[in-house]
Amino acid sequence: MSPSTLEARAREWSTRAVQWDPARNNIKRAVHLAARARGARLERTGQVPAIANIYAAGSPKAGSQWMKALFDHPVVRRHTGLFTLPQLDYQLKPSKPFPAGTFVPGLYFSHDEYLAMTHRHPYRLIYMFRDPRDLFVSGYFSAIGTHRPVAGYEGWREELRSKPVGEGLLELIHLGGSRLQEMATWAGVDDPHVATFKLEEINADPRGNVTGILEHCEIDLSPDEFETVLHDVSREALQVKDLAQRSEGSESHYRVDRKTYRELFTDEHYAAVDALSPGLAVRLGYDA
């Protein structure tokens, strides 16, 4: 299998792996059609929200599920008036406008693809960074255990489980060049519609960073509402919620064993990541 084929396979896996079962794509498309009808009605009646679209962008394993939990929270939705779209492969038609009055999670794309988007109404975009090395660690543990079955990829996941951790990590790194290259295009972006955050900083200071995200999106919660949202999107609360939806004995999407690249990487892993996008971690403000 050629390197380009491997990279395409990796991108498809990392996109599909955060979505619902692919067998439900028809349902998701029907929901998108309903959202378009709703958006057209909002436009026709002059009821489009002041911020008509909010986009959550980044890379898989860089807090996309957390951002979805934040903007899909009932309290937040009550203030935004936005309908949460189910995730699809938006990259297939990057210039196709999204319906008015929608929150769009899971935009995994480059800055150039963002620039190709069509916007009919005021919008805001949150781009989430994560240390590139931990993207691969998180992706590895998701692939071997925590993610639900993904049609067409279970054989590959079983092969990955059979390999030593170091070897499996290297395989994911070698397949992941496109994701780091996409992330690199967002470094230093200066755009009033875009605010960038780091997942690590949100974990360290959720109060300050959630405040910044909400302010960028012009969402004004009362103090009590803010405390409710902050509690409900904490890692602990999301882990409990995720486990309640899984079968007994399953491991949560939010890992209990939170090993990082510092415990798992060898010189070979560091070199492999740096070869994909030289100096990216440092350019994003992470330690070398």
Side-chain angles (χ1 to χ4, degrees), residues 89-246:
D89 293 340
Y90 301 126
Q91 292 85 352
L92 297 177
K93 297 180 180 179
S95 62
K96 185 176 181 179
F98 288 98
T102 55
F103 160 57
V104 185
L107 282 170
Y108 308 127
F109 60 178
S110 69
H111 186 249
D112 286 342
E113 289 172 301
Y114 156 70
L115 294 176
M117 292 175 67
T118 300
H119 309 284
R120 292 198 297 252
H121 303 283
Y123 67 95
R124 295 292 185 271
L125 184 144
I126 302 294
Y127 190 90
M128 188 73 74
F129 289 111
R130 185 179 188 178
D131 190 308
R133 296 157 293 196
D134 272 330
L135 284 179
F136 293 111
V137 173
S138 182
Y140 169 77
F141 283 108
S142 176
I144 67 167
T146 63
H147 201 278
R148 293 178 174 86
V150 179
Y153 286 85
E154 292 311 295
W156 172 69
R157 294 177 73 186
E158 193 59 40
E159 289 177 16
L160 204 61
R161 293 184 189 106
S162 70
K163 298 178 179 180
V165 173
E167 186 179 337
L169 272 172
L170 274 177
E171 179 169 337
L172 280 205
I173 291 168
H174 291 148
L175 295 177
S178 63
R179 290 306 182 191
L180 292 202
Q181 289 152 17
E182 288 167 355
M183 182 184 289
T185 67
W186 289 90
V189 165
D190 184 10
D191 182 332
H193 299 96
V194 174
T196 60
F197 292 83
K198 293 179 181 176
L199 184 60
E200 296 85 355
E201 292 178 353
I202 287 172
N203 291 335
D205 178 20
R207 184 175 298 277
N209 283 279
V210 170
T211 295
I213 290 172
L214 296 177
E215 287 179 350
H216 176 69
C217 297
E218 300 184 15
I219 302 169
D220 185 18
L221 304 184
S222 72
D224 286 346
E225 288 175 326
F226 180 79
E227 294 302 324
T228 295
V229 171
L230 196 63
H231 171 271
D232 291 350
V233 300
S234 69
R235 181 182 179 88
E236 294 74 20
L238 292 176
Q239 187 179 71
V240 169
K241 182 178 179 180
D242 181 55
L243 284 171
Q245 298 171 346
R246 293 172 180 256

Side-chain angles (χ1 to χ4, degrees), residues 36-50:
R36 292 192 180 281
R38 175 181 180 269
R41 185 172 67 254
L42 292 174
E43 291 174 325
R44 188 171 59 251
T45 59
Q47 295 179 305
V48 175

Side-chain angles (χ1 to χ4, degrees), residues 19-78:
Q19 298 178 15
W20 298 343
D21 190 316
R24 300 175 67 178
N25 275 350
N26 287 338
I27 296 175
K28 291 192 283 184
R29 293 189 179 99
V31 175
H32 274 253
L33 288 174
R36 292 192 180 281
R38 175 181 180 269
R41 185 172 67 254
L42 292 174
E43 291 174 325
R44 188 171 59 251
T45 59
Q47 295 179 305
V48 175
I51 301 298
N53 296 105
I54 294 176
Y55 307 116
S59 176
K61 314 310 297 179
S64 56
Q65 296 303 302
W66 179 84
M67 284 197 284
K68 183 175 180 181
L70 174 63
F71 288 108
D72 193 45
H73 192 287
V75 170
V76 176
R77 287 203 318 268
R78 191 160 61 242

